[in-house]
Amino acid sequence: MRTDSSPGNLPAREHLPAGSAGTPVLDVVIPVYNEEKDLQPCVVRLHEHLKRTFPYAFRITVADNASTDTTPQVAARLESEIPEVRSFRLEQKGRGRALRTVWSASDAPILAYMDVDLSTDLNALLPLVAPLISGHSDLAIGSRLARSSRVVRGAKREFISRTYNLILRGSLQARFSDAQCGFKAIRRDVAQVLLPLIEDTGWFFDTEMLVLAERAGLRIHEVPVDWVDDPNSTVHIVKTATDDLKGVWRVGRALATGSLPLDRLARPFGDDPRDRDLTDVPTGLARQLVGFCVVGALSTLFYLVLYSAFRSFSGSQIANALALLVSAVANTAANRRLTFGVRGRGGAVRHQAQGLVVFGIGLALTSGSLAALSAATDDPSHSTELAVLIAANLAATVLRFLLFRAWVFPDRRDETPSTVVASYNPASHNPASATYTTAVHGHPHPHPHPPLPQRPGATQSPYHHTHATDEFRASDAANRTWGDATMQLQAVRPHDHDPRDAR
């Protein structure tokens, strides 16, 4: 499937509609590990800030990463005392694992997270999520490296942070400025498709999410933040840096080989309804023409070099056939990847076979031109041969583009991927083993989000309807043992704790 014109799994972004419903608009996740001292002040301060400044219903979810101190008890107490607080217990460590599990299970249309130390000024929270609510952006991140950011931290961490982002820019062509700031948000419809593609379960989770989103063409909004370093941070800098570099290598290799199905994240071009009402209009034609011309120009130069080399020890017909064959294979491979955006090895042999048929047509045109030249003159000069071949190749190029676009790499917009939705089964008590049921639908729901609730009249809607089909567990989601990466998780509630549970 071509990535330039595929509608993917994501609809055009829309402003979340305002209304009265029980689903929170924003779910702020706080991943913690042995944070018994900082957890309560963090949650209380965040809750007071949201109650005072955030105009819609919200939820705060504490994601406990297998803490061994009294952090679970503190989270349970906060849950029992504050209606907007939920706690979630995982039996395995990993910030990425916690975020993926809780975000996958959340029913809020806007998902965010922040570190428990609250190093980031909370006044940046509303500017962070506002572009996602309005439909302007897909993800939002806080940036400590923006020019207008005000940051207080040591020279060592400043050097490491800037060096890491330079590595990302140089190796993965990342354009966002701060990958590791613990202050990010994402739309739930985007998370449903993006999270299954992310492999990391630790600190590299953020970077991998942003790189894949950016490569897929999603819009990332950056918010300058005021940030004060936590001197008591327990992050192991050397180990984290080593793991991050391994992650950069893994993601870079996956992007280079085209093994990531980023076309699943494609959105329609333009969010105006008039853009979506257009029918029978080829999409991506201008970009494909530019790519095809660039590839064609390079292929022609490559062909002429080969022809001149082969002509030194063979006749013109044999030299033309050999040069055209080699350049045709290279041309098909380059157009497959660069012009028509086909990634991965699937269908590569078929595409080359079809490309050879196109090569045969080009060979007939160029060989016929040489035959006509030989009939016109007994001893044509080498420059005359090249001129005739260039003219014949121009004609063959036009025909090659039409055949590539209509036959070899046709637009597959009629292929609608199946999606899997999940809903919550409250029978299980342990969130790590909470059971979800899935159902397959042939078409996405036209309204991906419930009406946007106003906070004063918000009531908690406990669970959603269950569709009985195959089952998987939240722990499977955390360990990325899902089957098809097109899985989309629908509104579920991440809370199934009994406040009296002392875990």
Side-chain angles (χ1 to χ4, degrees), residues 463-500:
Y463 308 110
H464 290 260
H465 296 291
T466 302
H467 304 276
T469 51
D470 301 330
E471 294 187 351
F472 67 96
R473 295 185 179 275
S475 57
D476 295 336
N479 292 324
R480 200 179 183 273
T481 56
W482 304 348
D484 185 0
T486 58
M487 177 175 294
Q488 296 189 16
L489 298 176
Q490 187 135 326
V492 290
R493 184 178 177 182
H495 163 62
D496 66 341
H497 265 307
D498 185 344
R500 296 168 295 181

Side-chain angles (χ1 to χ4, degrees), residues 31-279:
V32 292
Y33 173 72
N34 290 347
E35 299 287 355
E36 58 185 0
K37 294 181 179 180
D38 295 336
L39 179 56
Q40 180 167 341
C42 165
V43 172
V44 170
R45 179 184 166 194
L46 175 60
H47 180 262
E48 291 177 350
H49 177 82
L50 289 172
K51 289 285 281 187
R52 186 177 69 255
T53 64
F54 195 67
Y56 306 112
F58 65 88
R59 176 194 297 138
I60 301 172
T61 302
V62 179
D64 177 22
N65 283 290
S67 295
T68 57
D69 60 2
T70 61
T71 297
Q73 286 79 5
V74 176
R77 184 172 66 252
L78 291 169
E79 181 182 28
S80 63
E81 295 174 353
I82 304 176
E84 290 84 5
V85 175
R86 299 291 181 267
S87 62
F88 199 106
R89 169 76 175 181
L90 289 90
E91 300 301 333
Q92 293 177 290
K93 293 177 60 178
R95 182 179 70 172
R97 177 179 287 108
L99 291 177
R100 184 168 60 197
T101 304
V102 178
W103 279 357
S104 298
S106 180
D107 56 354
I110 306 299
L111 310 169
Y113 96 89
M114 62 179 58
D115 294 334
V116 69
D117 56 18
L118 292 185
S119 296
T120 304
D121 182 14
L122 293 179
N123 287 326
L125 182 56
L126 185 56
L128 183 80
V129 301
L132 308 186
I133 294 176
S134 69
H136 175 271
S137 301
D138 300 293
L139 298 90
I141 65 174
S143 175
R144 300 163 296 184
L145 303 181
R147 290 188 176 182
S148 56
S149 299
R150 296 183 297 180
V151 176
V152 179
R153 63 174 168 178
K156 179 181 178 180
R157 288 182 177 270
E158 180 77 8
F159 174 78
I160 293 175
S161 180
R162 292 188 178 275
T163 301
Y164 179 63
N165 282 281
L166 286 175
I167 292 174
L168 294 181
R169 289 176 178 271
S171 59
L172 300 179
Q173 289 77 51
R175 295 189 298 272
F176 47 85
S177 64
D178 193 350
Q180 290 289 22
C181 181
F183 194 68
K184 295 182 175 68
I186 185 172
R187 287 176 63 102
R188 183 169 63 91
D189 58 342
V190 176
Q192 289 171 342
V193 187
L194 179 58
L195 294 181
L197 304 181
I198 302 175
E199 294 186 13
D200 192 79
T201 59
W203 294 95
F204 188 70
F205 175 89
D206 302 52
T207 302
E208 187 169 359
M209 176 179 69
L210 293 175
V211 169
L212 298 187
E214 188 176 72
R215 285 299 186 95
L218 299 180
R219 183 174 294 158
I220 301 175
H221 179 74
E222 294 197 18
V223 178
V225 298
D226 297 342
W227 196 86
V228 179
D229 190 15
D230 178 16
N232 299 319
S233 175
T234 58
V235 177
H236 195 290
I237 297 179
V238 176
K239 183 179 184 304
T240 301
T242 302
D243 292 341
D244 286 347
L245 293 178
K246 292 179 180 178
V248 169
W249 169 258
R250 174 176 55 79
V251 172
R253 183 176 57 184
L255 292 173
T257 59
S259 60
L260 291 170
L262 297 181
D263 55 329
R264 295 172 180 171
L265 294 168
R267 283 195 186 275
F269 179 79
D271 293 342
D272 192 296
R274 291 170 295 180
D275 296 332
R276 299 194 294 273
D277 291 337
L278 296 177
T279 58

